[in-house]
């Protein structure tokens, strides 16, 4: 009898757009790993997610990534969770450990790993995070952890359309709040601008912001990756500002899952990026 391939997947609703199966396939092909990583369509709601998780664990899955709209329920349904998942209040990675489910959030680490090289020359950095959802919370968690790692101190403010959510991100991760309507006028006081809203994503309204006041050495990051070059990044490049697109975070968050469940090494390199850029281009994103 042949050995059973190691199996994992990604749960979402919808899920056909997910780039995670392609990312894991790229890594598995490189080391000829006998693995399967499936897109899994699970309807919204904790009950449906719970049923799916029981079935997948029983079927021998090593774990599953979780995307919208299940990230909060994923944390609630787990038996134990990492500090990042608990702090962010959402999980994107569930590992099946015998009869238990362990929840983790690798979005935060993914963002930190992607942005760290850009901070190398900064002594202190002040970031403006736009957003108040799970992604903004993951970014805020990451920024809090970046102090002392190459850059001596990172502080941040958060601005979100719904001010109460910005206030809760600021309170939970030690930042300040900025009124959403002041996001352009206040840019002179920031070294890093991060879009962690869904604005600018295909099918969503654009992010309206005027970058004129950002200092000339500022960094502009957008965690939206479809389209890859958002209007925000285009405007930043027109001003010759350093930029970071959403693929860095996406590739780095996937690496932890691949190594935990499927294979030995998950290099985030130019070849992987090229495969993802090709897939996005084929979709017209
Ligand atoms: P979410 O919880 O639904 O939050 C959406 C955010 O966008 C909220 O801050 C929301 O503001 C804001 N927003 C939506 N429509 C708006 C509008 N018309 N005007 C102003 N603000 C608006 O989603 P999420 O999980 O945080 O994800 C946000 C984005 O990050 C998505 O595009 C997702 O694909 C991306 N993401 C990327 C990665 C990666 O690896 N690159 C990882 C995770 C997420 P309100 O609070 O006021 O509604």
């Amino acid at each position: 009898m042949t050995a059973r391939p190691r199996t994992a997947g990604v749960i979402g609703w919808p899920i056909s757009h997910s780039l995670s199966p392609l990312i894991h396939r790229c890594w598995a092909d490189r080391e000829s790993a006998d693995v399967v990583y499936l897109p899994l369509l699970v309807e919204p709601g904790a009950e449906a997610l719970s049923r799916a998780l029981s079935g997948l664990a029983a079927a021998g899955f090593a774990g599953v990534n979780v995307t919208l709209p299940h990230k909060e329920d994923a944390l609630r349904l787990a038996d134990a969770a990492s500090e990042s998942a608990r702090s962010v209040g959402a999980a994107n990675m569930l590992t099946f450990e015998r009869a238990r489910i362990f929840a983790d959030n690798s979005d935060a680490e993914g963002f930190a790993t992607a942005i760290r090289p850009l901070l190398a020359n900064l002594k202190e950095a002040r970031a403006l995070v736009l957003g108040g959802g799970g992604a903004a919370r993951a970014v805020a968690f990451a920024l809090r952890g970046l102090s002392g790692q190459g850059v001596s101190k990172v502080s941040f403010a958060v601005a979100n359309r719904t001010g109460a959510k910005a206030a809760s991100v600021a309170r939970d991760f030690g930042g300040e709040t900025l009124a959403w309507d002041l996001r352009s006028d206040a840019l002179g006081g920031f070294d890093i601008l991060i879009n962690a809203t869904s604005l600018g994503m295909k099918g969503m309204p654009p992010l309206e912001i005027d970058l004129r006041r950002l200092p000339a050495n500022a960094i502009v990051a957008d965690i939206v990756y479809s389209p890859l070059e958002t209007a925000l990044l285009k405007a930043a490049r027109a001003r010759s500002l350093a930029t970071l697109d959403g693929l860095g975070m996406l590739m780095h968050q996937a690496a932890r899952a691949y190594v935990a469940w499927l294979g030995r090494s998950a290099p985030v390199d130019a070849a992987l990026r090229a495969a993802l850029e090709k897939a996005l281009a084929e979709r017209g994103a």
Side-chain angles (χ1 to χ4, degrees):
M1 203 169 74
T2 52
R4 192 181 180 288
R6 280 161 285 161
T7 308
V10 55
I11 288 179
W13 179 278
I15 200 59
S16 58
H17 68 290
S18 173
L19 291 170
S20 295
L22 172 61
I23 296 175
H24 289 266
R25 184 77 266 142
C26 285
W27 285 325
D29 285 349
R30 286 185 199 193
E31 52 186 17
S32 303
D34 184 15
V35 307
V36 176
Y37 185 99
L38 298 172
L40 301 158
L41 186 65
V42 175
E43 67 190 44
E47 218 173 287
L49 181 62
S50 175
R51 268 199 311 273
L53 294 177
S54 303
L56 294 167
F61 274 57
V64 281
N65 286 117
V66 180
T67 186
L68 292 175
H70 293 298
K71 288 184 177 186
E72 281 85 11
D73 284 334
L75 177 64
R76 276 193 282 272
L77 290 170
D79 301 291
S82 66
E83 192 210 337
S84 59
R86 280 184 275 116
S87 301
V88 171
N92 72 328
M93 187 180 159
L94 297 176
T95 299
F96 300 127
E97 299 172 334
R98 295 198 171 86
R100 295 168 78 240
I101 298 177
F102 183 77
D104 202 352
N105 187 310
S106 63
D107 280 340
E109 183 186 285
F111 179 75
T113 309
I115 200 163
R116 199 176 286 117
L118 279 79
L119 306 181
N121 297 323
L122 295 173
K123 275 211 171 61
E124 287 198 14
R126 189 157 163 69
L128 175 61
V129 180
L130 302 178
R137 295 181 66 81
V139 164
F141 180 86
L143 290 174
R144 191 177 65 178
L146 278 169
S147 287
Q149 296 193 17
V151 50
S152 59
K153 186 166 183 274
V154 182
S155 58
F156 74 92
V158 54
N160 188 50
R161 175 181 62 176
T162 305
K165 279 158 79 181
S168 108
V169 179
R171 187 191 59 232
D172 292 350
F173 300 100
E176 290 166 19
T177 54
L178 179 78
W180 178 245
D181 289 346
L182 295 181
R183 63 192 181 283
S184 295
D185 290 344
L187 283 178
F190 293 97
D191 312 291
I192 309 172
L193 170 65
I194 303 151
N195 177 36
T197 71
S198 43
L199 292 173
M201 196 168 91
K202 206 173 165 189
M204 288 292 292
L207 169 64
E208 286 174 17
I209 191 160
D210 181 345
L211 301 186
R212 255 176 303 185
R213 289 192 171 82
L214 261 186
N217 61 349
I219 298 161
V220 176
D222 201 333
I223 72 164
V224 168
Y225 54 82
S226 179
L228 192 52
E229 181 165 68
T230 58
L232 173 66
L233 294 183
K234 210 176 214 166
R237 285 174 190 145
R239 270 208 53 200
S240 304
L241 302 174
T243 58
L244 177 71
D245 66 36
L247 278 188
M249 177 177 178
L250 183 75
M251 295 185 290
H252 284 292
Q253 65 78 30
R256 172 139 31 124
Y258 183 79
V259 173
W261 303 330
L262 299 177
R264 287 184 305 277
S265 78
V268 171
D269 56 16
L272 180 63
R273 170 173 274 276
L276 294 171
E277 285 181 3
K278 182 166 173 271
L280 285 171
E282 282 167 4
R283 291 175 190 183

